[in-house]
Coordinates of all heavy atoms in Angstrom, one line a residue:
M1 N -17.3 -23.6 10.7 CA -16.6 -22.2 11.0 C -17.6 -21.4 11.7 O -18.7 -21.2 11.3 CB -16.1 -21.6 9.6 CG -14.9 -20.8 9.8 SD -14.3 -19.9 8.4 CE -14.1 -21.1 7.2
E2 N -17.1 -20.6 12.8 CA -18.0 -19.7 13.4 C -18.2 -18.4 12.6 O -17.4 -18.1 11.8 CB -17.4 -19.4 14.9 CG -17.4 -20.5 15.8 CD -16.8 -20.2 17.1 OE1 -16.8 -18.9 17.5 OE2 -16.3 -21.0 17.8
R3 N -19.3 -17.7 13.0 CA -19.5 -16.5 12.2 C -18.4 -15.4 12.5 O -18.1 -14.7 11.4 CB -20.8 -15.9 12.7 CG -21.3 -14.7 12.0 CD -21.7 -14.9 10.7 NE -22.0 -13.7 10.0 CZ -22.0 -13.5 8.7 NH1 -21.7 -14.6 7.9 NH2 -22.3 -12.2 8.2
T4 N -17.9 -15.3 13.6 CA -16.8 -14.3 13.8 C -15.6 -14.7 13.0 O -14.9 -13.7 12.5 CB -16.5 -14.1 15.3 OG1 -16.2 -15.4 15.8 CG2 -17.6 -13.7 16.1
E5 N -15.2 -15.9 12.9 CA -14.2 -16.4 12.1 C -14.4 -16.0 10.7 O -13.5 -15.7 9.9 CB -13.8 -17.9 12.3 CG -12.5 -18.3 11.6 CD -12.3 -19.7 12.0 OE1 -12.8 -20.4 12.7 OE2 -11.3 -20.2 11.3
V6 N -15.5 -16.3 10.2 CA -16.0 -16.0 8.7 C -15.8 -14.5 8.5 O -15.2 -14.1 7.4 CB -17.3 -16.4 8.5 CG1 -17.8 -16.0 7.0 CG2 -17.4 -17.9 8.4
D7 N -16.2 -13.7 9.5 CA -16.0 -12.3 9.2 C -14.6 -11.8 9.3 O -14.2 -11.0 8.5 CB -16.8 -11.6 10.5 CG -18.2 -11.6 10.4 OD1 -18.7 -11.8 9.2 OD2 -18.9 -11.4 11.3
R8 N -13.7 -12.4 10.1 CA -12.3 -12.2 10.1 C -11.7 -12.5 8.7 O -10.9 -11.9 8.1 CB -11.6 -12.9 11.3 CG -11.7 -12.0 12.5 CD -10.9 -12.6 13.6 NE -11.8 -13.4 14.5 CZ -11.5 -14.7 15.0 NH1 -10.5 -15.1 14.7 NH2 -12.5 -15.3 15.6
V9 N -12.0 -13.7 8.3 CA -11.5 -14.1 7.0 C -11.9 -13.2 5.8 O -11.1 -12.8 5.0 CB -11.8 -15.6 6.8 CG1 -11.6 -16.1 5.3 CG2 -11.2 -16.5 7.8
T10 N -13.2 -12.9 5.9 CA -13.6 -11.9 4.8 C -13.0 -10.6 4.9 O -12.5 -10.1 3.9 CB -15.2 -11.7 4.9 OG1 -15.8 -13.0 4.8 CG2 -15.7 -10.9 3.8
C11 N -12.8 -10.0 6.0 CA -12.1 -8.7 6.3 C -10.6 -8.9 5.7 O -10.1 -8.0 5.2 CB -12.2 -8.3 7.7 SG -13.8 -7.7 8.1
G12 N -10.0 -10.0 6.1 CA -8.6 -10.2 5.8 C -8.4 -10.3 4.3 O -7.5 -9.7 3.7
G13 N -9.4 -11.0 3.6 CA -9.3 -11.1 2.1 C -9.5 -9.7 1.5 O -8.8 -9.4 0.5
C14 N -10.5 -9.0 2.0 CA -10.7 -7.6 1.4 C -9.6 -6.8 1.7 O -9.2 -5.9 0.7 CB -12.0 -7.0 1.9 SG -13.5 -7.8 1.6
A15 N -9.0 -6.8 2.8 CA -7.8 -6.0 3.1 C -6.6 -6.4 2.2 O -5.9 -5.4 1.7 CB -7.4 -6.0 4.7
L16 N -6.4 -7.6 2.1 CA -5.3 -8.0 1.2 C -5.5 -7.7 -0.3 O -4.6 -7.2 -0.9 CB -5.2 -9.6 1.3 CG -4.0 -10.2 0.7 CD1 -2.7 -9.7 1.4 CD2 -4.0 -11.7 0.9
S17 N -6.8 -7.8 -0.6 CA -7.2 -7.2 -2.1 C -6.8 -5.8 -2.2 O -6.3 -5.4 -3.2 CB -8.5 -7.6 -2.3 OG -8.9 -7.2 -3.6
A18 N -7.2 -4.9 -1.3 CA -7.0 -3.6 -1.4 C -5.6 -3.1 -1.3 O -5.1 -2.3 -2.2 CB -7.7 -2.9 -0.2
V19 N -4.8 -3.9 -0.6 CA -3.3 -3.6 -0.4 C -2.7 -4.0 -1.8 O -1.8 -3.3 -2.3 CB -2.7 -4.3 0.8 CG1 -1.2 -4.4 0.7 CG2 -3.2 -3.7 2.0
G20 N -3.1 -5.0 -2.4 CA -2.6 -5.6 -3.6 C -2.9 -4.6 -4.7 O -2.2 -4.4 -5.6
A21 N -4.1 -4.1 -4.7 CA -4.5 -3.2 -5.8 C -3.8 -1.7 -5.7 O -3.6 -1.1 -6.7 CB -6.1 -2.8 -5.6
V22 N -3.3 -1.5 -4.5 CA -2.5 -0.2 -4.4 C -1.1 -0.4 -4.7 O -0.3 0.2 -5.3 CB -2.7 0.5 -3.0 CG1 -1.7 1.5 -2.8 CG2 -4.1 0.9 -2.9
A23 N -0.5 -1.6 -4.2 CA 1.0 -1.9 -4.2 C 1.2 -2.4 -5.7 O 2.4 -1.9 -6.1 CB 1.3 -3.1 -3.4
A24 N 0.4 -3.0 -6.3 CA 0.8 -3.5 -7.8 C 1.1 -2.3 -8.7 O 2.1 -2.3 -9.4 CB -0.3 -4.4 -8.4
P25 N 0.3 -1.4 -8.8 CA 0.7 -0.2 -9.7 C 1.9 0.6 -9.2 O 2.6 1.1 -10.1 CB -0.7 0.8 -9.6 CG -1.7 0.0 -9.1 CD -1.2 -1.1 -8.3
L26 N 2.0 0.7 -8.0 CA 3.3 1.3 -7.4 C 4.5 0.5 -8.0 O 5.6 1.1 -8.3 CB 3.3 1.6 -5.8 CG 2.3 2.4 -5.5 CD1 2.2 2.5 -3.9 CD2 2.4 3.9 -6.0
W27 N 4.4 -0.8 -7.8 CA 5.6 -1.7 -8.3 C 5.7 -1.5 -9.8 O 6.8 -1.5 -10.3 CB 5.2 -3.1 -7.8 CG 6.3 -4.1 -8.2 CD1 7.6 -4.0 -7.8 CD2 6.1 -5.1 -9.1 NE1 8.2 -5.2 -8.5 CE2 7.3 -5.8 -9.2 CE3 5.0 -5.7 -9.8 CZ2 7.5 -6.9 -10.0 CZ3 5.1 -6.9 -10.5 CH2 6.5 -7.5 -10.6
W28 N 4.6 -1.5 -10.5 CA 4.6 -1.5 -11.9 C 5.3 -0.1 -12.4 O 6.0 -0.2 -13.4 CB 3.1 -1.5 -12.5 CG 3.0 -1.3 -14.0 CD1 3.4 -2.2 -14.9 CD2 2.3 -0.1 -14.5 NE1 2.9 -1.6 -16.2 CE2 2.3 -0.4 -15.9 CE3 1.9 0.9 -14.1 CZ2 2.0 0.5 -16.9 CZ3 1.4 2.0 -15.0 CH2 1.4 1.6 -16.4
L29 N 5.0 1.1 -11.7 CA 5.6 2.2 -12.0 C 7.1 2.3 -11.8 O 7.8 3.0 -12.4 CB 5.0 3.4 -11.2 CG 3.7 3.8 -11.7 CD1 3.1 4.9 -10.7 CD2 3.6 4.3 -13.0
S30 N 7.6 1.4 -10.9 CA 9.1 1.2 -10.6 C 9.8 0.5 -11.7 O 11.1 0.5 -11.6 CB 9.4 0.9 -9.2 OG 9.0 -0.5 -9.1
M31 N 9.1 -0.2 -12.5 CA 9.8 -1.1 -13.4 C 10.5 -0.4 -14.6 O 10.0 0.6 -14.9 CB 8.8 -2.1 -14.1 CG 7.9 -2.9 -13.1 SD 8.9 -4.1 -12.3 CE 8.9 -5.5 -13.6
P32 N 11.6 -1.0 -15.0 CA 12.4 -0.3 -16.0 C 11.6 -0.1 -17.3 O 11.5 0.9 -18.0 CB 13.6 -1.1 -16.4 CG 13.8 -2.0 -15.1 CD 12.4 -2.1 -14.5
R33 N 10.7 -1.0 -17.6 CA 9.9 -1.1 -18.9 C 8.9 0.1 -18.8 O 8.7 0.8 -19.8 CB 9.2 -2.4 -19.1 CG 8.3 -2.4 -20.3 CD 7.8 -3.8 -20.4 NE 7.1 -3.9 -21.7 CZ 5.8 -3.6 -21.8 NH1 5.2 -3.1 -20.8 NH2 5.3 -3.7 -23.0
T34 N 8.3 0.2 -17.7 CA 7.3 1.4 -17.5 C 7.9 2.7 -17.5 O 7.4 3.7 -18.2 CB 6.5 1.2 -16.2 OG1 5.9 -0.2 -16.3 CG2 5.3 2.2 -16.1
Q35 N 9.1 2.8 -16.8 CA 9.8 4.1 -16.9 C 10.3 4.4 -18.3 O 10.4 5.6 -18.6 CB 11.0 4.0 -15.9 CG 10.6 3.9 -14.5 CD 11.7 3.7 -13.6 OE1 12.9 3.6 -14.0 NE2 11.5 3.8 -12.3
R36 N 10.6 3.5 -19.0 CA 11.0 3.8 -20.5 C 9.9 4.4 -21.3 O 10.0 5.3 -22.1 CB 11.6 2.4 -21.1 CG 12.0 2.7 -22.6 CD 12.7 1.5 -23.2 NE 11.8 0.3 -23.0 CZ 12.1 -0.7 -22.4 NH1 13.1 -1.0 -21.6 NH2 11.2 -1.9 -22.3
H37 N 8.6 3.8 -21.0 CA 7.5 4.3 -21.8 C 7.0 5.6 -21.2 O 6.6 6.5 -21.9 CB 6.4 3.4 -21.6 CG 6.4 2.0 -22.4 ND1 6.4 2.1 -23.7 CD2 6.6 0.8 -22.1 CE1 6.7 0.9 -24.3 NE2 6.8 0.1 -23.3
L38 N 7.0 5.8 -19.9 CA 6.5 7.0 -19.3 C 7.6 8.2 -19.0 O 7.2 9.2 -18.8 CB 5.7 6.7 -18.0 CG 4.5 5.9 -18.2 CD1 3.8 5.6 -16.9 CD2 3.5 6.4 -19.1
G39 N 8.8 7.7 -18.9 CA 9.9 8.6 -18.6 C 10.2 9.6 -19.8 O 10.6 10.7 -19.5
G40 N 9.9 9.1 -20.9 CA 10.1 9.9 -22.1 C 11.6 10.4 -22.4 O 12.5 9.9 -21.8
G41 N 11.7 11.1 -23.3 CA 13.0 11.5 -23.8 C 13.1 13.1 -23.8 O 12.4 13.7 -22.8
F42 N 13.8 13.6 -24.6 CA 14.1 15.0 -24.6 C 12.7 15.7 -25.1 O 12.1 15.5 -26.0 CB 15.1 15.5 -25.6 CG 15.3 16.9 -25.8 CD1 15.8 17.6 -24.7 CD2 14.9 17.5 -26.9 CE1 16.0 19.0 -24.9 CE2 15.1 18.9 -27.1 CZ 15.7 19.7 -26.1
E43 N 12.2 16.6 -24.2 CA 10.9 17.4 -24.4 C 9.8 16.4 -24.6 O 8.8 16.7 -25.4 CB 11.1 18.3 -25.5 CG 11.9 19.5 -25.2 CD 12.0 20.5 -26.3 OE1 11.4 20.3 -27.4 OE2 12.7 21.5 -26.1
G44 N 9.6 15.3 -24.0 CA 8.5 14.5 -23.9 C 8.5 13.5 -25.2 O 7.6 12.8 -25.4
E45 N 9.6 13.5 -26.0 CA 9.6 12.6 -27.1 C 9.7 11.1 -26.6 O 10.5 10.9 -25.6 CB 10.9 12.9 -28.1 CG 10.8 14.2 -28.7 CD 12.0 14.5 -29.5 OE1 12.9 13.6 -29.5 OE2 12.0 15.6 -30.1
G46 N 9.0 10.3 -27.2 CA 9.1 8.8 -26.8 C 8.1 8.5 -25.8 O 8.1 7.3 -25.3
M47 N 7.4 9.4 -25.3 CA 6.3 9.2 -24.2 C 5.3 8.2 -24.9 O 4.7 8.6 -26.0 CB 5.8 10.5 -23.6 CG 6.7 11.3 -23.1 SD 7.1 11.0 -21.4 CE 5.7 11.3 -20.5
D48 N 4.8 7.2 -24.2 CA 3.8 6.3 -24.7 C 2.8 6.2 -23.7 O 2.8 5.3 -22.8 CB 4.5 5.0 -25.0 CG 3.5 4.0 -25.7 OD1 2.4 4.5 -26.0 OD2 3.8 2.8 -25.7
Y49 N 1.7 7.0 -23.7 CA 0.7 7.0 -22.8 C -0.3 5.9 -23.0 O -1.3 5.7 -22.1 CB 0.0 8.3 -22.7 CG 0.8 9.5 -22.1 CD1 1.3 10.5 -22.9 CD2 1.2 9.4 -20.7 CE1 2.0 11.5 -22.3 CE2 2.1 10.5 -20.3 CZ 2.4 11.5 -21.1 OH 3.2 12.5 -20.5
T50 N -0.2 5.2 -24.0 CA -1.2 4.1 -24.1 C -1.0 2.9 -23.1 O -1.8 2.2 -22.9 CB -1.0 3.5 -25.6 OG1 0.2 3.0 -25.8 CG2 -1.4 4.5 -26.6
V51 N 0.2 2.9 -22.5 CA 0.4 2.0 -21.5 C -0.6 2.1 -20.3 O -0.8 1.1 -19.6 CB 1.8 1.8 -21.0 CG1 2.8 1.3 -22.0 CG2 2.3 3.1 -20.4
L52 N -1.0 3.4 -20.1 CA -1.8 3.6 -19.0 C -3.2 3.1 -19.3 O -4.0 2.8 -18.5 CB -2.0 5.3 -18.8 CG -0.7 5.9 -18.4 CD1 -1.0 7.4 -18.3 CD2 -0.3 5.4 -17.0
L53 N -3.6 3.0 -20.6 CA -4.9 2.4 -20.9 C -4.9 0.9 -21.2 O -5.9 0.2 -21.1 CB -5.4 3.1 -22.2 CG -5.8 4.6 -22.0 CD1 -6.0 5.1 -23.4 CD2 -6.7 4.8 -21.1
T54 N -3.7 0.4 -21.5 CA -3.6 -1.1 -21.8 C -3.1 -1.9 -20.7 O -3.7 -2.9 -20.5 CB -2.8 -1.2 -23.1 OG1 -1.5 -0.7 -22.9 CG2 -3.4 -0.6 -24.3
E55 N -2.0 -1.3 -20.0 CA -1.4 -2.2 -19.0 C -1.9 -2.0 -17.6 O -2.1 -2.9 -16.8 CB 0.1 -2.0 -19.0 CG 0.7 -2.6 -20.3 CD 2.2 -2.4 -20.2 OE1 2.8 -2.1 -19.3 OE2 2.8 -2.6 -21.3
L56 N -2.1 -0.6 -17.3 CA -2.5 -0.2 -15.9 C -3.8 -0.9 -15.4 O -3.7 -1.4 -14.3 CB -2.6 1.3 -15.8 CG -2.8 1.8 -14.4 CD1 -1.6 1.4 -13.5 CD2 -2.8 3.4 -14.4
P57 N -4.9 -1.0 -16.2 CA -6.0 -1.8 -15.7 C -5.8 -3.2 -15.3 O -6.3 -3.7 -14.4 CB -7.1 -1.6 -16.8 CG -6.6 -0.5 -17.6 CD -5.2 -0.4 -17.6
F58 N -4.9 -3.8 -16.1 CA -4.7 -5.3 -15.9 C -3.7 -5.4 -14.6 O -3.9 -6.3 -13.9 CB -4.0 -5.9 -17.1 CG -4.9 -6.2 -18.3 CD1 -4.7 -5.5 -19.4 CD2 -6.1 -7.0 -18.0 CE1 -5.6 -5.7 -20.5 CE2 -7.0 -7.1 -19.2 CZ -6.8 -6.5 -20.3
V59 N -2.9 -4.4 -14.4 CA -1.9 -4.3 -13.2 C -2.9 -4.3 -12.0 O -2.7 -5.0 -11.1 CB -0.9 -3.3 -13.3 CG1 -0.3 -3.2 -12.0 CG2 0.1 -3.6 -14.5
I60 N -3.9 -3.4 -12.0 CA -4.7 -3.2 -10.9 C -5.5 -4.4 -10.6 O -5.7 -4.8 -9.5 CB -5.6 -1.9 -11.1 CG1 -4.7 -0.6 -11.1 CG2 -6.6 -1.8 -9.9 CD1 -5.4 0.6 -11.5
L61 N -6.1 -4.9 -11.6 CA -7.0 -6.1 -11.5 C -6.2 -7.3 -10.9 O -6.6 -7.9 -10.1 CB -7.6 -6.6 -12.8 CG -8.8 -5.6 -13.1 CD1 -9.3 -6.0 -14.6 CD2 -9.9 -5.6 -12.1
G62 N -4.9 -7.5 -11.5 CA -4.0 -8.5 -11.1 C -3.6 -8.3 -9.7 O -3.6 -9.2 -8.8
G63 N -3.3 -7.1 -9.2 CA -2.9 -6.8 -7.9 C -4.0 -7.0 -6.9 O -3.7 -7.3 -5.8
A64 N -5.3 -6.8 -7.4 CA -6.4 -7.1 -6.5 C -6.8 -8.6 -6.4 O -7.2 -9.0 -5.3 CB -7.6 -6.3 -6.8
F65 N -6.8 -9.3 -7.5 CA -7.2 -10.6 -7.5 C -6.3 -11.8 -7.2 O -6.7 -12.7 -6.5 CB -7.9 -11.0 -8.8 CG -9.2 -10.2 -9.0 CD1 -9.5 -9.3 -10.0 CD2 -10.2 -10.5 -8.1 CE1 -10.6 -8.7 -10.1 CE2 -11.4 -9.8 -8.2 CZ -11.7 -8.9 -9.2
V66 N -5.1 -11.5 -7.5 CA -3.9 -12.5 -7.2 C -3.8 -12.8 -5.8 O -3.8 -13.9 -5.2 CB -2.7 -12.3 -8.0 CG1 -1.5 -13.1 -7.4 CG2 -2.9 -12.4 -9.5
P67 N -3.6 -11.7 -4.9 CA -3.5 -12.0 -3.5 C -4.7 -12.5 -3.0 O -4.7 -13.3 -2.0 CB -3.2 -10.6 -2.8 CG -2.8 -9.8 -4.0 CD -3.4 -10.3 -5.2
L68 N -6.0 -12.1 -3.4 CA -7.2 -12.6 -2.9 C -7.3 -14.1 -3.2 O -7.7 -14.9 -2.4 CB -8.4 -11.9 -3.6 CG -9.7 -12.1 -2.9 CD1 -9.8 -11.8 -1.5 CD2 -10.7 -11.3 -3.8
L69 N -6.8 -14.6 -4.4 CA -6.9 -15.9 -4.9 C -6.0 -16.8 -3.9 O -6.4 -17.8 -3.5 CB -6.6 -16.0 -6.3 CG -6.6 -17.5 -6.9 CD1 -8.0 -18.1 -6.8 CD2 -6.1 -17.4 -8.3
V70 N -4.8 -16.3 -3.7 CA -3.9 -17.0 -2.9 C -4.4 -17.1 -1.4 O -4.3 -18.2 -0.8 CB -2.5 -16.4 -2.9 CG1 -1.6 -17.0 -1.8 CG2 -1.9 -16.4 -4.3
F71 N -5.0 -16.1 -0.9 CA -5.6 -16.0 0.5 C -6.7 -17.0 0.5 O -6.9 -17.9 1.5 CB -6.0 -14.6 0.7 CG -6.6 -14.5 2.1 CD1 -5.7 -14.5 3.2 CD2 -8.0 -14.4 2.4 CE1 -6.2 -14.4 4.5 CE2 -8.4 -14.3 3.7 CZ -7.5 -14.2 4.7
M72 N -7.6 -17.1 -0.5 CA -8.6 -18.0 -0.6 C -8.2 -19.4 -0.6 O -8.7 -20.3 0.1 CB -9.5 -17.7 -1.8 CG -10.9 -18.6 -1.9 SD -11.8 -18.4 -3.4 CE -10.5 -19.2 -4.5
L73 N -7.2 -19.8 -1.4 CA -6.7 -21.2 -1.6 C -6.0 -21.5 -0.2 O -6.3 -22.7 0.3 CB -5.7 -21.3 -2.5 CG -6.2 -21.1 -4.0 CD1 -5.1 -21.1 -5.1 CD2 -7.3 -22.3 -4.3
L74 N -5.3 -20.7 0.5 CA -4.7 -20.9 1.8 C -5.8 -21.2 2.8 O -5.6 -22.1 3.7 CB -3.7 -19.9 2.2 CG -2.5 -19.8 1.3 CD1 -1.7 -18.5 1.8 CD2 -1.6 -21.1 1.5
T75 N -6.8 -20.5 2.8 CA -7.8 -20.6 3.7 C -8.6 -21.9 3.6 O -8.9 -22.6 4.5 CB -8.9 -19.5 3.6 OG1 -8.2 -18.2 3.8 CG2 -10.0 -19.5 4.6
R76 N -8.8 -22.3 2.3 CA -9.4 -23.7 2.0 C -8.5 -24.8 2.5 O -9.0 -25.8 3.0 CB -9.7 -23.9 0.7 CG -11.0 -23.1 0.2 CD -11.3 -23.4 -1.2 NE -12.6 -23.0 -1.5 CZ -13.6 -23.5 -2.1 NH1 -13.3 -24.8 -2.6 NH2 -14.8 -23.2 -2.1
V77 N -7.2 -24.7 2.3 CA -6.3 -25.8 2.6 C -6.3 -25.9 4.2 O -6.3 -27.0 4.8 CB -5.0 -25.5 2.0 CG1 -3.9 -26.4 2.8 CG2 -5.0 -25.7 0.6
R78 N -6.3 -24.8 4.9 CA -6.3 -24.8 6.3 C -7.6 -25.3 6.9 O -7.5 -26.1 7.8 CB -6.0 -23.4 6.8 CG -5.8 -23.3 8.3 CD -5.9 -21.9 8.9 NE -7.4 -21.6 8.9 CZ -7.8 -20.6 9.5 NH1 -7.1 -19.9 10.2 NH2 -9.2 -20.4 9.5
N79 N -8.7 -25.0 6.3 CA -9.9 -25.6 6.8 C -10.1 -27.1 6.5 O -10.8 -27.7 7.2 CB -11.1 -24.8 6.1 CG -11.3 -23.4 6.8 OD1 -10.8 -23.2 7.8 ND2 -11.9 -22.5 6.1
R80 N -9.5 -27.5 5.4 CA -9.6 -29.0 5.1 C -8.9 -29.8 6.2 O -9.2 -30.9 6.6 CB -9.1 -29.3 3.8 CG -10.0 -29.0 2.7 CD -9.5 -29.5 1.4 NE -10.5 -29.1 0.4 CZ -10.3 -29.4 -1.0 NH1 -9.2 -29.8 -1.3 NH2 -11.2 -29.0 -1.8
K81 N -7.8 -29.2 6.7 CA -7.0 -29.9 7.7 C -7.6 -30.0 9.1 O -7.3 -30.9 9.9 CB -5.6 -29.3 7.8 CG -4.7 -29.5 6.6 CD -3.4 -28.9 6.8 CE -2.6 -29.1 5.5 NZ -1.2 -28.6 5.6
N82 N -8.5 -29.0 9.3 CA -9.1 -29.0 10.6 C -10.3 -30.0 10.8 O -11.0 -30.3 10.1 CB -9.6 -27.5 10.9 CG -8.4 -26.7 11.3 OD1 -7.4 -27.2 11.7 ND2 -8.6 -25.4 11.0

């Protein structure tokens, strides 16, 4: 693999990871389960802010690493065929 192609693959993986790290929490916030915890009830009753400490970090990490892992696997498969 040439150096410019390696640079493009690296930039593509980083960009995909950044997009995933931003998109995953936005998707997580739109889920009914999250809205139930953060939406609260009358005057904030039923608000459960512990989901921000327990679930949100895993959502961000998953959003960053899952697309990067898929991208890496697809790149390896493509390079084996060449």
Side-chain angles (χ1 to χ4, degrees):
M1 208 185 308
E2 294 180 22
R3 180 71 185 158
T4 57
E5 187 176 349
V6 171
D7 291 341
R8 277 188 261 136
V9 169
T10 303
C11 286
C14 289
L16 191 60
S17 181
V19 168
V22 171
L26 293 175
W27 179 62
W28 176 74
L29 284 171
S30 70
M31 302 290 279
R33 181 177 185 274
T34 306
Q35 290 176 357
R36 182 174 54 244
H37 287 294
L38 297 179
F42 179 69
E43 294 182 354
E45 293 177 4
M47 301 273 296
D48 183 15
Y49 289 113
T50 60
V51 296
L52 297 175
L53 298 174
T54 56
E55 291 181 11
L56 186 58
F58 291 115
V59 169
I60 293 171
L61 288 173
F65 287 118
V66 169
L68 187 60
L69 180 66
V70 170
F71 183 74
M72 182 187 68
L73 292 174
L74 290 175
T75 304
R76 281 189 165 223
V77 167
R78 189 191 74 160
N79 287 340
R80 282 190 181 173
K81 290 181 179 179
N82 290 335

